[in-house]
C-alpha cells in the first residue's frame, strides 16, 4: 500500500485545484460567449491571477488555451445559431437575443466599419467592451459564411484572452496573496469595461452643451 500513500501525497491541493479549475473556466467562458451576461473577462483575469501564483509549469498557458478555445467555440456556436435564425421565417430566440444586445446606433457603426475594414473589425470587436455582439450581427446581416467569420474570430479570441490574462498577471504580481490579486484584477477588468461607455457619455454631454 506504500504506492497508494505516495500517490495520495503527490496529489497536492494545487493539482486538485487545477484539475477542477481549467474545465470550469472553459465551461463558464463558453456559456458567457453563448449568453452574454457572464463577465468572462473577469473570469479570465481571476484565473490568470491564481495561475500566476501557482508553481506548476504551464499554468498560465493552460488558462490562455482554455479561455481562447472556449470563446472561439462559443462565438462559432452563437453565430451558427444566428445564421439559422436569419434563414428561418420565424427567426429564433438566439437571433432575437443578439439583436436585443445590438442598439441601432452601434449596429450602424459596426456595419460601416465591417464594410470598410472587413475581418480586421472582428479582432477589435472582441477587445472593445460591448463591441462583439453588434459586429457579429453585422456579419450575419452581411451574410458571411461561418468559415469566413471563424477565420476572423480566431485571432480576435486569442487577442481577447491574452489581454485579460495580462490584466490578471498585473494584478497578481502586485500582491503575495492570490485573493488580493483577484480583487485588483476584477477591479481593473470592470474599469476597462466601463471606461469607454463613460467616455462616450461625457463626449455626448459636451457636444450637446456646445450645440445649445
Amino acid at each position: 500500500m506504500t504506492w497508494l500513500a505516495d500517490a495520495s501525497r503527490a496529489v497536492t491541493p494545487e493539482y486538485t485545484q487545477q484539475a477542477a479549475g481549467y474545465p470550469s473556466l472553459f465551461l463558464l467562458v463558453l456559456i458567457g460567449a453563448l449568453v452574454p451576461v457572464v463577465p468572462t473577462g473577469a473570469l479570465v483575469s481571476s484565473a490568470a491571477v491564481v495561475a500566476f501564483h501557482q508553481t506548476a509549469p504551464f499554468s498560465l498557458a493552460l488558462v490562455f488555451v482554455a479561455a481562447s478555445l472556449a470563446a472561439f467555440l462559443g462565438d462559432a456556436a452563437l453565430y451558427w445559431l444566428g445564421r439559422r435564425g436569419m434563414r428561418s421565417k420565424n427567426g429564433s430566440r438566439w437571433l432575437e437575443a443578439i439583436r436585443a444586445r445590438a442598439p441601432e446606433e452601434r449596429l450602424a457603426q459596426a456595419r460601416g466599419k465591417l464594410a470598410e475594414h472587413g475581418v480586421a473589425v472582428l479582432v477589435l470587436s472582441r477587445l472593445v467592451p460591448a463591441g462583439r455582439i453588434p459586429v457579429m450581427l453585422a456579419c450575419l446581416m452581411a451574410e458571411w459564411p461561418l468559415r469566413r467569420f471563424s477565420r476572423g474570430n480566431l485571432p480576435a479570441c486569442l487577442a481577447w484572452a491574452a489581454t485579460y490574462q495580462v490584466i490578471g498577471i498585473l494584478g497578481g504580481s502586485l500582491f503575495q496573496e492570490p485573493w488580493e490579486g483577484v480583487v485588483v484584477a476584477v477591479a481593473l477588468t470592470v474599469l476597462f469595461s466601463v471606461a469607454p461607455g463613460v467616455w462616450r457619455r461625457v463626449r455626448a454631454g459636451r457636444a450637446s452643451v456646445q450645440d445649445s
Side-chain angles (χ1 to χ4, degrees):
M1 297 294 291
T2 56
W3 65 271
L4 184 59
D6 293 338
S8 63
R9 284 193 295 268
V11 180
T12 62
E14 182 175 301
Y15 178 84
T16 304
Q17 188 181 57
Q18 288 182 1
Y22 298 128
S24 299
L25 175 65
F26 178 88
L27 183 61
L28 288 172
V29 173
L30 181 66
I31 293 173
L34 285 168
V35 185
V37 293
V38 179
T40 52
L43 289 173
V44 176
S45 297
S46 301
V49 171
V50 176
F52 179 81
H53 286 278
Q54 289 177 341
T55 58
F58 310 117
S59 295
L60 288 171
L62 289 173
V63 169
F64 175 76
V65 170
S68 56
L69 180 60
F72 177 77
L73 293 177
D75 283 356
L78 183 60
Y79 191 80
W80 179 77
L81 291 168
R83 278 182 57 83
R84 286 192 62 186
M86 294 288 286
R87 291 194 297 265
S88 172
K89 292 182 179 180
N90 299 322
S92 70
R93 63 187 183 92
W94 293 102
L95 182 59
E96 290 302 319
I98 296 173
R99 284 176 171 165
R101 293 185 173 274
E104 289 298 327
E105 181 182 353
R106 300 291 301 275
L107 178 58
Q109 293 176 355
R111 296 186 70 179
K113 291 179 181 178
L114 188 68
E116 184 178 355
H117 302 289
V119 172
V121 177
L122 280 172
V123 179
L124 295 177
S125 71
R126 259 282 178 184
L127 299 178
V128 175
R132 177 175 71 101
I133 296 300
V135 171
M136 181 181 290
L137 183 56
C139 292
L140 287 170
M141 297 178 72
E143 298 184 352
W144 280 23
L146 178 60
R147 180 177 298 180
R148 184 180 182 186
F149 173 81
S150 298
R151 194 163 53 242
N153 194 49
L154 177 58
C157 292
L158 295 175
W160 170 82
T163 298
Y164 281 99
Q165 188 163 4
V166 167
I167 293 175
I169 293 172
L170 290 175
S173 64
L174 296 175
F175 302 97
Q176 292 184 349
E177 294 294 331
W179 71 266
E180 295 174 321
V182 169
V183 171
V184 173
V186 171
L188 289 174
T189 302
V190 172
L191 181 63
F192 180 75
S193 301
V194 171
V198 173
W199 175 245
R200 282 194 298 269
R201 284 194 291 270
V202 170
R203 289 184 61 185
R206 288 178 179 177
S208 62
V209 170
Q210 291 176 356
D211 293 339
S212 60

